[in-house]
Amino acid sequence: MDAPRPPEPVRQSADRPGDRSERRDTERRDLDLLVWDAPNIDMTLSSILGSRPASSDRPRFDAIARWFLAEAADHEVEGCVFTNVHPTSAVSLRGWIEALRNFGYAVFARPKVHPEDDVDDAMLQHIASRQASHRLRRVVVASGDGRNFLAPLEELHRAGVRVVVLSFAEVAGYAQESPLIEFVDLEDVPGAFQVSLGRTRLTALPPDGGWFRPTRPMRALLDEGAPLDHPHQHAPAAPREVDPLHGSAPAAAPHTEDAPAPAAPDVGEVGRVPAPQTPRARTA
């Protein structure tokens, strides 16, 4: 009877300590990621326009997707829209969400029951999850919320990820001031809007000049019943600086009797968004 063979010795791996992590890194696929903060973009758009946006005022997500894909090369791409759903808007948002999915976007929806039911944490968690599962090459964040996104996005840049903020120049000061983040104004994305938003963008004037349409009829002044002041009676206000951390302008100085404060804009909730000229980006 043959004697039992002794067990073979366990072969020790010849990998150096960092080899396994390097091999796992090479197995991860390149990814370009777009995350869209729908409540923030909608609120910002309402504030800029001074009223609830009409359908023609809202961004076209098919144009946003084409712009995003133009620089993705052969990387994997993922577009995600994060939104809140108020109990009264669940039915009206269904068509918008289905349109987004048809354009290739994944949609994360959270019930808006309490004021603190935001989507910012979910956006950051998703970015972190994709950073663990893929090699992030580019992350585009559509949000003007510097309070929640400035530090994490700068950390992504330090990790070798190209970071782009897609928002409006009036509120995304945190991205424009950071040397680590690129900024693209949403209205500079080709085809993103059907009509001009009529914003007062003095830093983006065409070489031959441009018009700013009135925000209300001139005869509305007569309906107010107040005396008409000469424009020269009021000195131009000092330019307001944008807070780079919070992504918004600081509070205005108290108004005087001869310079009444403007009424606060009516900011609407997230509504239906219809299906989506060279972007200006500030690089590090």
Side-chain angles (χ1 to χ4, degrees), residues 79-174:
C80 307
V81 176
F82 292 75
T83 189
N84 284 126
V85 178
H86 295 260
T88 58
S89 63
V91 174
S92 62
L93 283 178
R94 183 185 300 276
W96 174 67
I97 290 177
E98 291 305 313
L100 289 173
R101 296 174 64 195
N102 190 49
F103 291 143
Y105 293 89
V107 180
F108 175 87
R110 170 173 287 171
K112 186 69 172 180
V113 180
H114 305 289
E116 63 274 12
D117 291 337
D118 295 322
V119 295
D120 300 333
D121 289 343
M123 293 175 65
L124 291 171
Q125 290 171 6
H126 187 69
I127 294 173
S129 173
R130 287 296 180 257
Q131 188 178 19
S133 63
H134 293 73
R135 283 197 306 271
L136 285 181
R137 297 303 189 185
R138 178 175 53 133
V139 172
V140 178
V141 174
S143 179
D145 187 356
R147 181 187 299 274
N148 288 315
F149 290 106
L150 175 60
L153 293 185
E154 289 189 333
E155 190 61 31
L156 273 177
H157 172 87
R158 296 186 184 97
V161 181
R162 179 186 171 195
V163 178
V164 181
V165 165
L166 184 63
S167 183
F168 296 101
E170 290 88 334
V171 297
Y174 78 99

Side-chain angles (χ1 to χ4, degrees), residues 1-6:
M1 182 174 181
D2 295 338
R5 297 175 59 185

